[in-house]
Amino acid sequence: MLDAQMKRGLLENCVLAALARSDSYGYQIIKDMSPFIAITESTLYPILRRLESAGSLTVYSVEHSGRLRKFYHLTAAGRSRLESFAADWGEIAAMYDFIREGLSHE
C-alpha cells in the first residue's frame, strides 16, 4: 500500500498537471484524471483547498446555467512546484527501480 503522505503528494501534483493544461472546475478535473487515476470529489476538494492555501492555484467563479461554477487556475508558484516535481521524478523512478529489483531477487 502506498504511504499516505506520498500518495497525497502525488495526487497534488496530478491536480496541478491537470490545471497546467487549462483552467478547470472540480468535476472536469476528475473527468480529465479518470483515465489515469481514480479520484473522488471527497479527495479532490481538500487537495484544491490545500493548493489554494499554498498559493499554487487561484479560484474564480463563472456563471454556468444560472449557477456559479468555481474554476481553478494554476499560478506561477504552482507551475514551479510541478516543474520541480518533474525534475525530481528521475530520482523517484530510480528508487522505484531499486525496490522492484530487490523484490525480483527473492
Side-chain angles (χ1 to χ4, degrees), residues 14-80:
C14 289
V15 170
L16 292 174
L19 293 172
R21 292 165 172 77
S22 68
D23 291 2
S24 195
Y25 55 96
Y27 178 72
Q28 187 62 51
I29 294 169
I30 290 170
K31 260 179 67 173
D32 291 345
M33 291 174 64
S34 69
F36 308 97
I37 301 153
I39 187 168
T40 63
E41 288 181 23
S42 62
T43 300
L44 176 64
Y45 287 104
I47 290 171
L48 290 168
R49 285 191 293 277
R50 278 195 306 273
L51 291 171
E52 181 184 12
S53 294
S56 296
L57 56 87
T58 57
V59 181
Y60 62 94
S61 296
V62 173
E63 189 173 333
H64 177 76
S65 300
R67 293 180 37 187
L68 288 179
R69 179 178 278 170
K70 278 187 175 181
F71 273 77
Y72 300 89
H73 172 79
L74 186 67
T75 64
R79 183 168 299 280
S80 177

Side-chain angles (χ1 to χ4, degrees), residues 74-96:
L74 186 67
T75 64
R79 183 168 299 280
S80 177
R81 178 178 172 175
L82 186 58
E83 288 169 352
S84 177
F85 174 80
D88 291 341
W89 184 253
E91 185 177 350
I92 295 166
M95 289 179 207
Y96 175 81

